[in-house]
Amino acid sequence: MQLDALAKMLPHWVARVRHPAQFWPQFEVLAEEILEQCGQAEKEQVRALIQTMLKGHGLELGPGFKGDYSV
């Protein structure tokens, strides 16, 4: 999955999810896949883009997100 595809499906996904507990595990798996495809130098930038994408929908990654590659 690519970041732009995730961004396109996010509004529909958020609108249809009944409870955040259904959303976050699935979203984190997809976000993790995207981050794993990135080079080490890109991870910080892609993670920031994911955060920005989520903030546009009133959401935010928690500090426990497995994709936290901050140094």
Side-chain angles (χ1 to χ4, degrees):
M1 167 149 303
Q2 299 295 324
L3 192 57
D4 57 339
L6 184 61
K8 286 179 185 176
M9 80 182 220
L10 187 60
H12 306 288
W13 196 2
V14 170
R16 290 194 172 111
V17 72
R18 293 181 183 181
H19 192 275
Q22 295 173 312
F23 172 77
W24 286 112
Q26 296 172 12
F27 181 85
E28 288 181 357
V29 166
L30 295 175
E32 181 72 24
E33 287 177 10
I34 292 168
L35 286 165
E36 286 174 357
Q37 295 173 18
C38 297
Q40 192 61 33
E42 299 172 308
K43 289 187 190 297
E44 180 90 19
Q45 180 183 7
V46 170
R47 190 176 195 288
L49 290 170
I50 291 171
Q51 280 283 30
T52 299
M53 178 191 334
L54 288 170
K55 283 182 183 178
H57 297 279
L59 303 169
E60 190 169 336
L61 284 174
F65 173 58
K66 292 181 256 175
D68 187 357
Y69 292 99
S70 55
V71 180

